[in-house]
Amino acid sequence: MANKQLVKAFQQSRRQRRVRKKVVGTNEKPRLCVYRSLRHIYVQIIDDTTGRTLISCSSLDKDMTDAVAKTEKKIDRSLLVGESIARKALAKGIETVVFDRNRYTYHGRVKAVAESAREAGLKF
């Protein structure tokens, strides 16, 4: 059992390194990084040159609690989080980002975050 978990963790870290090798955030185009847990989704906009998180948003944020409580599906939460991160980024003057899907496939909740951020005005 433990051996399967180690293999899975190793494979995930290899996928993450493979994606991160190609995706680098700069001051002009920061990196939009997505993390999804079983229940929630977290999004950060990161400047890799200074190593700072510029903006963060998740389905657990206080300003999102009312909207998240009304949704039943996790993909709807992802749509709300993507829209919220785009609004916050545009308010700070960030218009273009590089999308970092982390180790996840571009499908489902990760795709929903990206598409809703695009619709809200963020450029990838």
Side-chain angles (χ1 to χ4, degrees):
M1 185 71 156
N3 194 19
K4 280 187 177 181
Q5 292 172 341
L6 288 174
V7 169
K8 186 174 182 179
F10 179 70
Q11 289 171 340
Q12 288 175 347
S13 68
R14 280 182 62 189
R15 275 195 302 271
Q16 186 172 5
R17 278 184 280 146
R18 186 170 55 234
V19 169
R20 196 66 52 79
K21 185 171 35 174
K22 299 172 188 170
V23 178
V24 178
T26 62
N27 197 14
E28 293 81 30
K29 283 179 87 172
R31 175 169 55 98
L32 182 107
C33 184
V34 176
Y35 174 77
R36 66 179 172 90
S37 67
L38 290 177
R39 194 173 287 182
H40 296 286
I41 192 146
Y42 308 86
V43 180
Q44 293 180 335
I45 295 182
I46 303 167
D47 179 10
D48 286 326
T49 56
T50 59
R52 290 182 44 215
T53 299
L54 305 174
I55 303 167
S56 67
C57 185
S58 74
S59 57
L60 290 173
D61 285 349
K62 289 182 182 179
D63 59 339
M64 301 278 295
T65 53
D66 294 334
V68 168
K70 294 176 185 175
T71 62
E72 292 181 12
K73 296 182 180 180
K74 292 185 275 187
I75 202 157
D76 294 335
R77 292 180 190 170
S78 301
L79 292 169
L80 292 172
V81 170
E83 184 180 327
S84 175
I85 195 80
R87 275 190 274 115
K88 288 180 180 181
L90 292 172
K92 274 205 165 187
I94 300 170
E95 296 178 359
T96 59
V97 294
V98 178
F99 187 70
D100 176 16
R101 60 182 175 85
N102 217 339
R103 61 181 182 254
Y104 312 111
T105 57
Y106 188 77
H107 178 73
R109 293 191 283 158
V110 176
K111 185 177 179 181
V113 168
E115 289 180 350
S116 65
R118 274 192 201 106
E119 289 175 7
L122 206 56
K123 295 175 188 166
F124 287 51

